[in-house]
Amino acid sequence: MKEELMRKVQLSDKEMPKQWYNIQADLKDLPAYLNPQTLKPVTADELAPIFPPEIIKQEMSQERFIDIPEEVQDIYRTYRPTNLHRALGLERALGTPAKIFYKYEGGNATGSHKLNSAVPQAYYNKIAGIKRLTTETGAGQWGSALSMACNHFGLECNVYMVKVSYNQKPFRRTFMQTFGSNVIASPSNLTEFGRNYLAKHPDSNGNLGIAISEAVEEAVSRSDTNYALGSVLNHVSMHQTIIGLEAQKQFEKIDMYPDVVIACVGGGSNFSGFAFPFVKDKLQGKAKTRIIAAESSACPSLTQGVYAYDYGDVGHMCPITKMYTLGSEFMPSGVHAGGLRYHGMNPIVSKLYHDKVIEAVAYSQNDTLTAGRLFAQAEGIIPAPESTHAIKCAIDEALKCKESGEAKTIAFNLSGNGYFDMYAYDALMKGELGDSSAENIDKNKIVLPKIEGLNK
Amino acid sequence: MKEELMRKVQLSDKEMPKQWYNIQADLKDLPAYLNPQTLKPVTADELAPIFPPEIIKQEMSQERFIDIPEEVQDIYRTYRPTNLHRALGLERALGTPAKIFYKYEGGNATGSHKLNSAVPQAYYNKIAGIKRLTTETGAGQWGSALSMACNHFGLECNVYMVKVSYNQKPFRRTFMQTFGSNVIASPSNLTEFGRNYLAKHPDSNGNLGIAISEAVEEAVSRSDTNYALGSVLNHVSMHQTIIGLEAQKQFEKIDMYPDVVIACVGGGSNFSGFAFPFVKDKLQGKAKTRIIAAESSACPSLTQGVYAYDYGDVGHMCPITKMYTLGSEFMPSGVHAGGLRYHGMNPIVSKLYHDKVIEAVAYSQNDTLTAGRLFAQAEGIIPAPESTHAIKCAIDEALKCKESGEAKTIAFNLSGNGYFDMYAYDALMKGELGDSSAENIDKNKIVLPKIEGLNK
């Protein structure tokens, strides 16, 4: 009998990591968040109106490993550890000598990695006595994840959903409502910011920046209500490291270590979660792994942006951070990879890119969804449009191996499934998918905060 | 530290069963399939125009265990073994002393158990030199599964999709097209049967019986083309037993055995797959498990039908079989559980019900989707409308335990996820979900074949 082909590496419940990895312990000279009014480093007190104490502590912590609470582990175990798949089908389809592996984070009900941070965020708010969370959502993955987490811990959840998605993605909206959330099309009449905005732009389809401003305003104005963010911040990245930590254990089990590590990148939480544990090994000189962030050419903050202090939101309510940015006024085209449409980038990911620890590459949605369809046919999983950027990058690296004859080990994170994105595949097959890449971006024309002492 | 709560029982790739269980070896006096023209038992030769040799052999085999080909195992391992989950969240929500377990078959890309039979069917056709398969699909799960399997083995695939689903479920259609299938709304103008039917019923929404007739007609008329059925027949049930065989290994691992085994039932493949290995133990006197089939009250073939010889399809092209049936002219209402809208029932399931080895119960879609939403909130998986029938039954059994104080072990099969069925949950939450139960069915008015010697 033929030897069985290894298709996946499992971990048992007991093997699931019990701590997150906090990369802040291994990095020096991280730029501080600045208060947009005072321009001084943001203090814990200033964050208290919208975040619970434990989240603020994590956001600023220098501890290398932080315990995952039992209550969070219990929910993690309903869908974790996730399998590390060997992409044998894709390897055969490409005819590459490379060995391709991927973590699959789309197997939980919310369909993406976002649940890894939604669960602890809801938990820490619950134990702080908070009754209600507000958040924003674009494509809907984060809103779905937070809805499920809030439902589990008995918190109310108000999701400000970008109006264009609210209308275009009724299934996502229904999903959040199934878990008891209140879903509001943004801009709305529920907030002062929303009312003012609607007075000026009554036909606005909304965007993430507006939705963030509405969600933050509501959280600030009510003492029983906090705000939850699904990406960009340190604590979110840290919660996501469970992905990469599991992957490392899985590679250890089969006595391998990846030569190339790839993840798609928008705000940065998915990339951080998969890559940071590998970055740690690289920083400590234990590995020479190439680590690649794959972004959308519609919103190419790393590959075409500038490294500068910028606002995190359109309304300029959130802290100023040093990051790769296209400017807070940048309006990306309406690509299907809604999760990659953010003008800025996680400050730590930005610094790692600036320091050349990691690489970055940008792809158009035609190329990535074509790669996604090939992957679906070869591996039997329909990937989310965001995740197809990592797939495209992995395919390109595998084809380079075919050229050179090298049998490199390539690992990427399949951050989500595409069940709610069949419109994108339909458009691809009908040839109706626009390229949607940003026009050549003139770095000198990127609009940045005009504040003395910054961005010299 | 608290002891960790057991959330799931895994199996490794190596522990995956390597044989299917063929229940025909353990049953006597199974009624034969009859040729609808000659009324004599169907021969292998008569099945050859639509099925490959290996499938025909399996359909009639008396061997108890049949090897799963390596090529099929290889694809199985991309998504199997599936986990056996402990429904701790649901138990807590109900406050029951019962221990509830479920196999989750919705984790693969096609979203349901159907892939377990689609893969071997495509494989056996491939090695028989067939170039093209036709099939029917209702809700779309079977069509999705066969599309994926055909794509893998390089076969063309024509899917006749019941028109009401074709229009209600565009994402399912796109899904099949992503894997290269040709999807046709049935009744169609592509077949003689379809044209005749449309002439009489121009506004028909279609049903499974009609779509089967169209798919069979096309397969019969082309020598390079075979037909594949997703339920009802013995070989399909047998392929699905991988589910129950895995579940038995998983219960063995935790030294438990279920007191109650539950699955939803339409054509019977999901129920068979999960339950038959447990039926085997019961027939052999090794267990006294209660085994319950949960059907839709919109199409209650077991609970309100008659046990008689009947046609399998509307066009009366398929063999006549003795089964529980509502008559091949029965038109169920358009419930969201499209996979349960079949007038008849797998003949072996029918016989087991007739012999009182198994029980049956029928539920309305209001009750089942309400149960499905409760399950989603408690367990973090959105179930397919079909699967909510098994959930409703499991909840009812668990509530009986709460009443009696018994800590029974209840196991059910979660046959699929509901990502493509958010319309159903939306209608539920808006209070727009009709009950859709069949009116009281008069058994004397069920239309059966009027053939001397049958149905005395």
Side-chain angles (χ1 to χ4, degrees):
Chain A
M1 206 168 88
K2 265 197 306 187
E3 206 204 342
E4 284 166 25
L5 294 164
M6 196 263 287
R7 283 285 194 176
K8 56 186 171 293
V9 186
Q10 295 174 313
L11 289 182
S12 71
D13 283 18
K14 285 191 189 306
E15 292 171 307
M16 190 178 77
K18 293 184 169 38
Q19 296 183 309
W20 295 298
Y21 167 56
N22 176 26
I23 199 171
Q24 293 179 90
D26 287 308
L27 292 176
K28 296 213 168 94
D29 310 321
L30 278 174
Y33 293 106
L34 306 181
N35 180 312
Q37 271 89 51
T38 66
L39 298 187
K40 288 186 180 154
V42 170
T43 65
D45 282 355
E46 287 168 336
L47 294 174
I50 55 169
F51 292 129
E54 194 59 33
I55 290 287
I56 296 171
K57 210 170 115 190
Q58 291 180 357
E59 187 60 30
M60 301 174 163
S61 170
Q62 294 297 313
E63 270 184 72
R64 185 167 284 111
F65 289 98
I66 290 181
D67 289 345
I68 305 173
E70 287 290 336
E71 291 81 353
V72 173
Q73 285 187 41
D74 182 40
I75 305 306
Y76 274 0
R77 281 193 293 269
T78 65
Y79 68 99
R80 308 205 68 86
T82 62
N83 289 332
L84 178 72
H85 293 259
R86 172 82 184 264
L88 281 179
L90 183 61
E91 291 171 22
R92 288 173 193 154
L94 300 174
T96 176
K99 297 179 191 71
I100 310 176
F101 291 84
Y102 59 95
K103 277 289 266 189
Y104 180 40
E105 292 292 311
N108 69 74
T110 68
S112 85
H113 69 290
K114 293 288 187 187
L115 197 56
N116 299 329
S117 185
V119 174
Q121 288 197 52
Y123 169 73
Y124 290 126
N125 276 290
K126 173 73 178 180
I127 60 169
I130 288 296
K131 306 288 178 217
R132 220 148 141 275
L133 288 182
T134 66
T135 197
E136 73 292 329
T137 201
Q141 284 111 326
W142 169 245
S144 298
L146 194 67
S147 296
M148 202 165 130
C150 282
N151 176 262
H152 179 82
F153 289 110
L155 300 173
E156 281 180 55
C157 187
N158 271 10
V159 182
Y160 290 86
M161 187 173 189
V162 175
K163 194 176 276 175
V164 61
S165 297
Y166 184 92
N167 292 325
Q168 274 179 2
K169 300 200 165 190
F171 285 2
R172 271 284 176 205
R173 190 202 327 150
T174 303
F175 185 98
M176 292 184 260
Q177 289 165 337
T178 300
F179 286 93
S181 282
N182 184 25
V183 186
I184 305 130
S186 168
S188 78
N189 278 313
L190 295 189
T191 64
E192 197 186 327
F193 182 86
R195 285 188 294 272
N196 288 340
Y197 196 89
L198 280 173
K200 284 182 218 151
H201 313 277
D203 299 326
S204 170
N205 267 329
N207 66 29
L208 268 179
I210 296 164
I212 291 175
S213 297
E214 290 204 278
V216 170
E217 180 188 319
E218 188 192 331
V220 168
S221 68
R222 292 180 57 142
S223 63
D224 65 347
T225 302
N226 267 347
Y227 167 73
L229 187 67
S231 192
V232 184
L233 296 177
N234 298 337
H235 67 275
V236 185
S237 292
M238 188 189 75
H239 299 154
Q240 295 295 351
T241 59
I242 183 99
I243 307 171
L245 293 168
E246 283 182 5
Q248 288 187 322
K249 278 198 174 192
Q250 286 160 317
F251 276 114
E252 213 170 286
K253 270 197 165 187
I254 53 173
D255 209 16
M256 293 179 80
Y257 196 96
D259 300 302
V260 189
V261 163
I262 299 163
C264 67
V265 69
S269 80
N270 161 67
F271 176 82
S272 307
F274 188 57
F276 279 4
F278 294 100
V279 170
K280 171 171 158 285
D281 288 357
K282 191 171 182 176
L283 291 172
Q284 295 176 351
K286 291 183 191 164
K288 291 184 175 174
T289 321
R290 285 181 58 211
I291 300 172
I292 311 175
E295 63 182 5
S296 166
S297 60
C299 201
S301 55
L302 288 174
T303 54
Q304 293 199 52
V306 291
Y307 189 45
Y309 282 92
D310 196 10
Y311 298 108
D313 64 325
V314 179
H316 302 177
M317 297 181 187
C318 298
I320 293 173
T321 56
K322 187 162 189 185
M323 58 181 175
Y324 277 87
T325 179
L326 298 162
S328 62
E329 291 175 19
F330 180 79
M331 181 56 78
S333 60
V335 285
H336 288 280
L340 306 187
R341 294 174 74 245
Y342 182 64
H343 71 277
M345 179 56 63
N346 172 299
I348 295 179
V349 174
S350 295
K351 180 163 168 55
L352 292 171
Y353 182 62
H354 189 69
D355 293 349
K356 297 191 166 47
V357 179
I358 65 168
E359 306 167 37
V361 64
Y363 297 113
S364 76
Q365 68 174 352
N366 249 322
D367 289 349
T368 53
L369 280 162
T370 300
R373 191 180 177 204
L374 170 65
F375 179 83
Q377 296 188 350
E379 289 292 316
I381 294 174
I382 298 258
E386 291 83 358
S387 313
T388 61
H389 292 70
I391 292 170
K392 168 67 177 157
C393 183
I395 289 175
D396 282 3
E397 292 296 321
L399 290 176
K400 280 186 213 161
C401 287
K402 187 177 180 178
E403 199 98 338
S404 68
E406 290 172 289
K408 283 189 184 168
T409 300
I410 299 168
F412 70 92
N413 195 33
L414 187 61
S415 55
N417 74 51
Y419 282 111
F420 290 118
D421 302 283
M422 297 310 297
Y423 282 128
Y425 288 95
D426 194 41
L428 172 74
M429 290 185 289
K430 288 179 177 155
E432 293 170 358
L433 204 63
D435 173 277
S436 300
S437 292
E439 300 295 310
N440 274 339
I441 289 168
D442 183 345
K443 290 188 186 184
N444 295 316
K445 291 189 177 159
I446 290 176
V447 181
L448 295 169
K450 288 186 183 121
I451 304 167
E452 216 175 336
L454 290 188
N455 303 327
K456 47 190 170 186
Chain B
M1 206 168 87
K2 266 195 305 185
E3 206 203 343
E4 283 166 24
L5 293 163
M6 197 261 289
R7 283 285 192 175
K8 57 185 171 293
V9 187
Q10 295 174 312
L11 289 182
S12 71
D13 283 19
K14 285 192 190 304
E15 292 171 306
M16 190 178 77
K18 293 185 168 40
Q19 297 184 308
W20 295 298
Y21 166 55
N22 176 26
I23 199 170
Q24 294 180 90
D26 287 310
L27 293 175
K28 296 213 168 95
D29 310 320
L30 279 174
Y33 293 107
L34 305 181
N35 180 312
Q37 270 89 49
T38 66
L39 299 186
K40 289 184 181 155
V42 170
T43 64
D45 282 356
E46 287 168 339
L47 294 174
I50 56 170
F51 293 128
E54 194 58 33
I55 290 287
I56 297 172
K57 210 170 115 190
Q58 291 180 356
E59 187 61 28
M60 300 175 164
S61 171
Q62 294 297 314
E63 270 184 73
R64 185 166 284 110
F65 290 98
I66 290 180
D67 289 345
I68 306 173
E70 286 291 336
E71 291 81 352
V72 173
Q73 285 186 42
D74 182 39
I75 305 306
Y76 274 1
R77 280 193 293 269
T78 63
Y79 68 99
R80 307 205 68 84
T82 62
N83 290 331
L84 178 71
H85 293 259
R86 171 83 183 264
L88 281 179
L90 183 61
E91 290 172 23
R92 288 173 193 154
L94 300 174
T96 177
K99 297 178 191 74
I100 309 176
F101 291 85
Y102 58 94
K103 276 289 265 189
Y104 181 39
E105 292 293 312
N108 68 75
T110 69
S112 85
H113 69 292
K114 293 289 187 187
L115 197 56
N116 299 328
S117 185
V119 174
Q121 288 197 52
Y123 169 74
Y124 290 126
N125 276 289
K126 173 72 177 180
I127 61 170
I130 289 296
K131 304 288 177 218
R132 216 149 142 276
L133 288 181
T134 66
T135 198
E136 74 291 331
T137 200
Q141 284 109 328
W142 169 246
S144 298
L146 194 68
S147 297
M148 201 165 133
C150 282
N151 175 263
H152 179 82
F153 289 112
L155 299 173
E156 282 180 54
C157 187
N158 270 11
V159 182
Y160 290 86
M161 186 173 189
V162 175
K163 196 176 276 173
V164 61
S165 296
Y166 184 92
N167 292 324
Q168 272 179 1
K169 302 196 165 191
F171 285 3
R172 270 283 175 206
R173 193 198 328 150
T174 303
F175 185 98
M176 293 183 258
Q177 290 165 337
T178 301
F179 286 94
S181 283
N182 184 25
V183 186
I184 306 129
S186 166
S188 80
N189 279 313
L190 294 190
T191 65
E192 197 186 325
F193 179 80
R195 286 187 294 273
N196 289 340
Y197 196 90
L198 280 173
K200 284 183 220 151
H201 313 277
D203 298 326
S204 170
N205 267 330
N207 67 26
L208 271 178
I210 296 166
I212 292 174
S213 296
E214 291 206 276
V216 170
E217 181 187 319
E218 188 192 331
V220 168
S221 67
R222 293 180 56 144
S223 65
D224 64 346
T225 302
N226 267 349
Y227 167 72
L229 187 66
S231 192
V232 183
L233 296 177
N234 299 336
H235 67 274
V236 185
S237 291
M238 188 190 74
H239 299 153
Q240 295 295 351
T241 59
I242 184 102
I243 306 170
L245 292 168
E246 283 182 5
Q248 289 189 321
K249 278 197 174 192
Q250 286 160 316
F251 275 114
E252 213 170 285
K253 271 197 165 185
I254 52 172
D255 209 16
M256 293 179 81
Y257 195 95
D259 300 303
V260 189
V261 162
I262 299 163
C264 66
V265 69
S269 81
N270 161 65
F271 177 81
S272 309
F274 188 56
F276 280 4
F278 294 100
V279 170
K280 170 170 157 284
D281 288 356
K282 191 172 183 177
L283 291 172
Q284 295 177 350
K286 291 183 189 161
K288 291 184 174 172
T289 321
R290 285 181 59 212
I291 300 173
I292 311 174
E295 63 182 5
S296 166
S297 60
C299 200
S301 55
L302 287 175
T303 54
Q304 292 199 54
V306 291
Y307 189 45
Y309 282 92
D310 196 10
Y311 298 108
D313 65 325
V314 175
H316 302 176
M317 297 176 192
C318 298
I320 293 173
T321 56
K322 189 163 188 182
M323 59 180 176
Y324 278 88
T325 180
L326 298 162
S328 63
E329 291 176 18
F330 179 80
M331 181 57 81
S333 60
V335 284
H336 288 280
L340 307 187
R341 295 174 73 246
Y342 182 63
H343 71 277
M345 180 55 64
N346 173 300
I348 295 179
V349 174
S350 295
K351 182 164 167 53
L352 292 171
Y353 182 62
H354 189 68
D355 293 348
K356 300 192 167 43
V357 178
I358 65 168
E359 306 166 38
V361 64
Y363 297 112
S364 75
Q365 67 175 351
N366 249 321
D367 289 348
T368 53
L369 280 161
T370 301
R373 190 181 177 204
L374 170 65
F375 179 84
Q377 295 189 351
E379 290 292 315
I381 294 175
I382 296 259
E386 290 83 358
S387 313
T388 61
H389 292 70
I391 291 169
K392 167 68 177 156
C393 184
I395 289 174
D396 281 3
E397 292 296 321
L399 290 176
K400 281 187 212 160
C401 288
K402 187 177 180 179
E403 199 98 336
S404 69
E406 290 172 289
K408 284 189 185 166
T409 301
I410 299 168
F412 71 91
N413 195 34
L414 187 60
S415 54
N417 73 50
Y419 283 112
F420 291 119
D421 302 285
M422 296 312 296
Y423 282 129
Y425 288 94
D426 194 40
L428 172 76
M429 290 186 289
K430 287 179 178 156
E432 292 170 358
L433 203 63
D435 174 276
S436 300
S437 293
E439 299 296 308
N440 274 340
I441 289 168
D442 182 345
K443 290 189 185 181
N444 293 316
K445 291 190 178 159
I446 290 176
V447 181
L448 296 169
K450 288 188 184 117
I451 304 167
E452 217 176 335
L454 289 187
N455 301 328
K456 46 190 167 178

